[in-house]
């Protein structure tokens, strides 16, 4: 695997070293973990954004929608004995 370097300012290096020592980890481990968590979070955000854009495109094509009240009422019943089918779309 190719290596990648990162340049940190002195204050960030000090903070990283201090936290790594407190956690019993190496600064290298801390940076890898931070990058991994960042990527996971940002990939999820990007996925959510793409789903929203696809939903918007579908709405523009079909004009079909459910109201926020209908969706909320339906979601509140999830996992209960009153769980129901999704509300019907309007035009």
């Amino acid at each position: 695997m190719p290596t990648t370097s990162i340049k940190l300012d002195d204050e960030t290096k000090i903070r990283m070293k201090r936290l790594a020592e407190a956690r019993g980890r190496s600064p290298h481990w801390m940076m890898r973990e931070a990058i991994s968590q960042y990527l996971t979070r940002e990939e999820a955000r990007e996925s959510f954004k793409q789903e929203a854009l696809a939903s918007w495109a579908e709405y523009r094509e079909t004009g079909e929608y459910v109201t926020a009240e209908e969706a909320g009422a339906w979601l509140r019943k999830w996992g209960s004995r009153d769980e129901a089918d999704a509300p019907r779309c309007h035009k």
Side-chain angles (χ1 to χ4, degrees):
M1 177 185 303
T3 60
T4 302
S5 63
I6 183 169
K7 294 184 190 237
L8 302 173
D9 60 82
D10 290 340
E11 177 62 24
T12 302
K13 287 179 190 177
I14 291 166
R15 291 172 59 204
M16 179 66 67
K17 186 172 189 239
R18 189 180 311 133
L19 185 58
E21 287 172 356
R23 299 278 170 88
R25 297 288 186 169
S26 69
H28 179 259
W29 185 93
M30 298 281 292
M31 287 183 271
R32 287 182 51 205
E33 183 66 17
I35 292 168
S36 177
Q37 288 181 21
Y38 174 83
L39 290 172
T40 298
R41 183 182 68 238
E42 292 304 312
E43 287 166 345
R45 280 186 185 169
E46 186 61 28
S47 175
F48 178 76
K49 177 182 156 189
Q50 293 305 317
E51 286 179 35
L53 290 172
S55 293
W56 177 243
E58 183 178 350
Y59 167 73
R60 287 193 334 236
E61 266 185 41
T62 67
E64 293 181 338
Y65 69 95
V66 294
T67 67
E69 292 79 18
E70 292 167 331
W74 174 59
L75 290 172
R76 283 190 292 278
K77 292 179 181 180
W78 271 15
S80 74
R81 291 187 318 212
D82 298 327
E83 189 169 324
D85 291 335
R88 291 186 171 250
C89 291
H90 308 283
K91 277 246 180 200

